[in-house]
Amino acid sequence: MVVGVLIHASFLFGVFSAIEQNLPAGVVSLVMGLQPILTAVLAFLWLNASIKATQWLGLFLGLAGVALVVSTQGRDISQAIAVTGWLTVIFGLVAISVGTLYQKRFGGEIDPMVGAFFQYLAAAIVCGIGTVAIGDFDFQINATVIGAMLWMVFGLSVTAILLLMIMIRQNESTRVASYFYLTPPLTAIQAWALFGESLSFLAIIGFVVVLIGVFLTTRSQ
């Protein structure tokens, strides 16, 4: 249930709240790109995890690749952004990093489906309280909203997070976290394929750097 509050409720709240407060999606991706490094540092301090030099190199290469991809998106971050936008995205970053390690430390032996049930239960309670406390209940029912909600529930919250729990159970937390580096490059490629957004040569180089970083972090010795 602690993991549910950290990953399902706190992480997603931090990301979506930051975007709602006009923090550019590219900047949010870059901040979340710190997640593998933060997870590695916390694993080293909390779990006494052994992190090899090649893994540290891979982590920093991955971050550099993410920065290259995000830098090509043409986002203007010179505009005034509320401090709360930065605070919420950092809150989400810390939440998923701590949640990943907490799951590795205390939830590794729990059946993923049973664990998922209690994670969603805890997240529902927290989000329900938050909705009553600060929500305005303005919900427009249309095909776009329904489609987005179905994807967020079954694609993100159920499938993706369940796969994350299984990966945490089977692998080192640092290795699992390194896959988060793939999110911004893959998002850029999907935006190019689906919406015709530009995909620059620099972004492609950044994608290659990310792949090298993930390989160095996850490869078997």
Side-chain angles (χ1 to χ4, degrees):
M1 294 183 79
V2 171
V3 173
V5 172
L6 288 171
I7 293 182
H8 294 281
S10 301
F11 164 61
L12 295 179
F13 163 79
V15 170
F16 293 136
S17 179
I19 293 175
E20 182 189 28
Q21 297 176 67
N22 297 320
L23 196 66
V27 177
V28 173
S29 295
L30 185 57
V31 173
M32 287 303 163
L34 296 172
Q35 195 263 344
I37 292 181
L38 179 58
T39 300
V41 172
L42 292 176
F44 178 77
L45 297 175
W46 184 16
L47 304 181
N48 296 318
S50 176
I51 303 174
K52 303 176 180 65
T54 53
Q55 288 181 301
W56 282 116
L57 176 60
L59 289 170
F60 283 103
L61 277 177
L63 180 61
V66 169
L68 282 175
V69 174
V70 173
S71 69
T72 66
Q73 295 184 3
R75 301 289 187 176
D76 180 15
I77 62 174
S78 61
Q79 59 180 314
I81 300 174
V83 175
T84 53
W86 292 103
L87 292 177
T88 51
V89 73
I90 292 174
F91 174 73
L93 167 65
V94 173
I96 192 170
S97 300
V98 175
T100 298
L101 293 175
Y102 195 96
Q103 172 68 16
K104 183 67 176 179
R105 175 66 178 82
F106 299 107
E109 301 303 320
I110 299 175
D111 181 271
M113 297 303 295
V114 175
F117 172 81
F118 287 102
Q119 289 173 20
Y120 299 140
L121 175 61
I125 293 172
V126 171
C127 291
I129 294 174
T131 300
V132 173
I134 63 177
D136 55 14
F137 294 94
D138 183 16
F139 189 76
Q140 303 295 326
I141 302 296
N142 54 56
T144 301
V145 171
I146 293 174
M149 288 295 295
L150 287 174
W151 173 253
M152 289 171 61
V153 171
F154 294 103
L156 178 60
S157 293
V158 175
T159 305
I161 299 297
L162 183 59
L163 288 174
L164 175 63
M165 295 300 109
I166 295 174
M167 291 170 64
I168 292 173
R169 186 178 187 179
Q170 297 178 347
N171 296 281
E172 299 174 13
S173 54
T174 301
R175 289 184 175 185
V176 173
S178 69
Y179 285 104
F180 280 79
Y181 281 143
L182 295 172
T183 302
L186 288 174
T187 300
I189 291 176
Q190 291 175 28
W192 167 73
L194 297 175
F195 309 121
E197 294 188 8
S198 61
L199 186 64
S200 68
F201 180 69
L202 186 60
I204 296 175
I205 292 177
F207 196 6
V208 173
V209 172
V210 167
L211 289 175
I212 294 173
V214 172
F215 170 74
L216 289 175
T217 307
T218 60
R219 74 187 181 99
S220 300
Q221 298 300 313

